[in-house]
Amino acid sequence: MSAPARLPGDPPGGGRAVFVWGVGVAVYFVAVTFRTSLGVAGLDAADRFHVNASALSTFSILQLLVYAGMQIPVGLMVDRLGTKKVLALGAALFTLGQLGFALAPSYGTALAARALLGCGDAMTFISVLRLGTRWFPARRGPLVAQLAGLVGMAGNLISTLVLARLLHGVGWTTAFAGSALAGVVVLVLVALFLKDHPEGHEPPRAARDADRPDSGPASVRRQISLSWREPGTRLGLWVHFTTQFPAMVFLLLWGLPFLVEAQGLSRGTAGDLLTLVVLSNMAVGLVFGQIVARHHTARLPLALGTVAVTATVWAGMLLYPGQHAPMWLLIVVCAVLGACGPASMIGFDFARPANPPERQGTASGITNMGGFVASMTTLLAVGVLLDATGDDYRIAFSAVFVLEAVGVSQILRLRGRAARRERERLVASRVETVHVPAA
């Protein structure tokens, strides 16, 4: 089946688009590397700052709290200021956060550094999504979004393969301070090469003029309200909420301690399993992107199927008789967790068609809150339950099922409404196309 023709007004794509989008994705790559760096340094951080499991989880919880809380403001910033300014600010903030974490003399200072890192990190992904919609044709949207997520996971791979070895080779300060140089590099690239949109494809002035009379608080509230009213935006949020967090919790903090302390593996073997999650994510992302681009109706089955399989293997790991789960089961769990990230990207494929171009950033911000709120909640629950049960990971990791149940119930509640609204919008757009006079 041949690809559909490019719509009038669609960006042209091409090599120039790939280069500019690549600069934006490079910023996201570095942000994810910094975000996930604590996942391979959790045990070292506990020793360095003399903290228990709950206090250790506070690092990631605070970082995700800032990230989630910034999503709607960042979405509004992207809609009003453009991608380049927001990405540049984000790169500056997460670089300062990573450097501050390297030099932090105390637990409180390190917390502040992670909060600053989370603030900068929050500005990257929505900006990259917006960059993709400005530089590539609409039909490429699902694949471009999945590719962005794939490159982000490559940043996670750098954490597990490179930063972990640097940490144990050159020490805490040198490893984290040295990695901060990558932030400086991408900041320079943004300043020199990034452009918000191709020539001749500027957004409507009403969508980009932050100085217009209706750009005050009332306009902001209206922008958020209109995005939230769309069932597709809310469905996107809950899809993101339900699919992303198991892998995020495993990679961001608790995977390495679980594999080492509860499963009796060496750090090297545990690191290899975390690497498997990342590699699986990258492979599944390519497959999901192609499927959704060709078969729009596959979105919900893919998302719910990922949740079902994740819950099944997670339960098998926790309920396996004996002190340790066998290696084959841990490999299966990590391979399945790799599908969580690509499945969460499907949430944006519900929110994107539900909103006009001038609300894309805001809608993406609302959607992106979902998985990070779920991750933050689970990170806290696992830390508290570990302290309360004497490090019983079977009980602590059972918190995953509670949030999955909440998310699935909301997806099932909203799916019919979102589908009807999407059909209505498609019919309306076809009617408008029919009535447009020929040039």
Side-chain angles (χ1 to χ4, degrees), residues 153-409:
M153 286 307 296
N156 204 322
L157 195 62
I158 293 298
S159 290
T160 56
L161 291 179
V162 179
L163 189 58
R165 286 167 172 77
L166 280 175
L167 187 64
H168 298 108
V170 300
W172 178 282
T173 301
T174 303
F176 279 101
S179 67
L181 292 174
V184 177
V185 172
V186 294
L187 182 58
V188 172
L189 291 176
V190 168
L192 293 178
F193 301 114
L194 196 82
K195 291 176 67 70
D196 287 345
H197 46 73
E199 295 294 334
H201 290 270
E202 295 84 358
R205 182 169 180 80
R208 70 177 192 272
D209 187 359
D211 297 323
R212 62 190 186 278
D214 64 338
S215 63
S219 175
V220 170
R221 287 193 297 269
R222 183 172 183 272
Q223 180 98 338
I224 296 171
S225 176
L226 289 173
S227 296
W228 180 254
R229 286 179 195 172
E230 291 291 346
T233 304
R234 283 175 281 146
L235 179 59
L237 179 147
W238 285 108
V239 167
H240 199 270
F241 177 101
T242 314
T243 53
Q244 187 200 47
F245 78 95
M248 179 70 73
V249 167
F250 202 76
L251 287 171
L252 198 60
L253 184 61
W254 292 122
L256 187 70
F258 166 74
L259 294 171
V260 172
E261 297 176 350
Q263 297 301 314
L265 302 179
S266 67
R267 286 197 182 205
T269 303
D272 291 340
L273 286 173
L274 294 181
T275 302
L276 175 60
V277 178
V278 178
L279 293 175
S280 172
N281 182 297
M282 297 170 73
V284 174
L286 288 174
V287 175
F288 278 18
Q290 293 284 356
I291 292 174
V292 173
R294 288 174 167 79
H295 308 285
H296 222 43
T297 55
R299 292 172 298 173
L300 209 54
L302 283 176
L304 290 175
T306 300
V307 174
V309 175
T310 301
T312 300
V313 299
W314 195 265
M317 177 180 69
L318 298 184
L319 296 176
Y320 193 87
Q323 186 176 2
H324 300 146
M327 179 58 70
W328 67 264
L329 180 55
L330 295 176
I331 290 173
V332 170
V333 169
C334 290
V336 170
L337 286 176
C340 292
S344 73
M345 299 296 296
I346 295 172
F348 298 101
D349 293 317
F350 287 105
R352 186 167 42 244
N355 292 271
E358 63 270 18
R359 291 207 308 264
Q360 289 292 317
T362 306
S364 295
I366 293 172
T367 300
N368 208 29
M369 284 179 62
F372 290 94
V373 169
S375 298
M376 178 177 59
T377 303
T378 310
L379 284 168
L380 176 61
V382 169
V384 170
L385 288 171
L386 285 174
D387 286 339
T389 60
D391 293 337
D392 189 328
Y393 278 91
R394 292 189 178 188
I395 295 176
F397 272 20
S398 296
V400 166
F401 301 118
V402 177
L403 274 79
E404 285 185 327
V406 171
V408 169
S409 68

Side-chain angles (χ1 to χ4, degrees), residues 117-177:
L117 192 156
C119 186
D121 181 18
M123 298 181 180
T124 58
F125 187 62
I126 295 176
S127 298
V128 171
L129 287 180
R130 177 59 171 266
L131 202 62
T133 63
R134 290 297 187 201
W135 280 90
F136 293 96
R139 71 180 187 277
R140 301 293 185 196
L143 182 58
V144 169
Q146 287 286 358
L147 287 173
L150 185 152
V151 175
M153 286 307 296
N156 204 322
L157 195 62
I158 293 298
S159 290
T160 56
L161 291 179
V162 179
L163 189 58
R165 286 167 172 77
L166 280 175
L167 187 64
H168 298 108
V170 300
W172 178 282
T173 301
T174 303
F176 279 101

